[in-house]
Amino acid sequence: MKKLMLLAVIFVSVNLSAQNASFGLKGGLNYGATGEFESFSQVAGDFTSSFEDGENKTGFHAGVFAQFEVLGIFIQPELMYTELNTEYSAFDYKLNKIDAPVLLGLNVLGPLNIKAGPSFQYILNNEIEGSDLDIDDVEKDITVGYQLGAGLDLGRLGFDLRYEGSFQDNFASGGDIAADSGFTIDSRPSQWILSLSYTL
């Protein structure tokens, strides 16, 4: 149900007023990391905690997009499958998700354009690799971040470079309640996104 509502928000609002519409495929690489890892424990009444930022790693994305031109500007909704990996000192954190950015863009100089807008994230799977730690599901299935960047359109081919950031944290947690120890990871990433697109 949530997925259907998200798709409705993206597409229905632009269909009626669109003057020109195009559709295509896109994919590429993303380079970034999820948020802070915190581990904590309590031994003999003493509480200790430590924090660690993840190391940026390369992932990938692939999906579809539409572009609707309205009054000289364009609206570009996308539906992307994204895989992101983050390296922490004791393990790797793998995140699979659906991204649905809805970008407002403007052609500024010849084939060059700029675009920005909200990006909805739906977590499909999050897991820890290379460790015995178990992790629970994230707090929120859907969160909202933002994307901004620039693109270059050369006929049917397009090139995009964007930055994605977050408006809110979205924690996944795990640990051993009996041993009074645990951890949290902020699953909302900050990343650079490089894409190649093809308009059908």
Side-chain angles (χ1 to χ4, degrees):
M1 185 64 180
K2 290 181 179 179
K3 294 179 183 179
L4 293 177
M5 292 176 62
L6 182 60
L7 291 174
V9 169
I10 295 172
F11 289 103
V12 171
S13 63
V14 296
N15 279 337
L16 295 178
S17 59
Q19 297 175 354
N20 298 304
S22 58
F23 304 87
L25 308 173
K26 66 178 301 184
L29 301 175
N30 33 281
Y31 180 74
T34 48
E36 191 173 65
F37 169 74
E38 178 188 4
S39 61
F40 50 87
S41 62
Q42 185 167 337
V43 179
D46 294 328
F47 181 83
T48 60
S49 64
S50 62
F51 301 88
E52 180 186 357
D53 291 325
E55 182 180 336
N56 293 335
K57 295 189 71 175
T58 301
F60 69 89
H61 59 277
V64 296
F65 72 92
Q67 191 176 101
F68 305 93
E69 186 175 337
V70 183
L71 302 177
I73 61 176
F74 63 85
I75 299 172
Q76 184 169 314
E78 301 175 357
L79 197 60
M80 311 297 297
Y81 171 81
T82 300
E83 183 175 298
L84 181 70
N85 299 289
T86 303
E87 183 178 337
Y88 295 92
S89 59
F91 59 85
D92 285 346
Y93 180 50
K94 183 177 180 180
L95 196 66
N96 302 74
K97 61 197 182 89
I98 298 294
D99 287 319
V102 184
L103 306 176
L104 186 66
L106 178 66
N107 295 311
V108 292
L109 182 63
L112 183 66
N113 62 72
I114 55 175
K115 53 178 75 81
S119 179
F120 300 89
Q121 171 180 279
Y122 178 78
I123 301 292
L124 296 172
N125 183 52
N126 77 129
E127 60 185 20
I128 286 177
E129 298 181 335
S131 172
D132 294 331
L133 294 175
D134 292 323
I135 192 166
D136 298 326
D137 292 335
V138 294
E139 289 179 321
K140 305 177 187 70
D141 287 337
I142 297 176
T143 57
V144 183
Y146 63 89
Q147 290 186 8
L148 53 91
L152 187 67
D153 293 327
L154 302 175
R156 291 183 178 273
L157 290 179
F159 301 89
D160 257 5
L161 179 62
R162 302 179 197 167
Y163 175 78
E164 179 180 272
S166 61
F167 290 126
Q168 59 187 134
D169 298 328
N170 190 23
F171 290 103
S173 60
D176 187 343
I177 297 176
D180 287 329
S181 64
F183 66 90
T184 61
I185 301 176
D186 180 12
S187 67
R188 207 50 167 96
S190 298
Q191 60 180 343
W192 289 95
I193 304 168
L194 179 63
S195 302
L196 172 66
S197 63
Y198 180 80
T199 303
L200 301 175

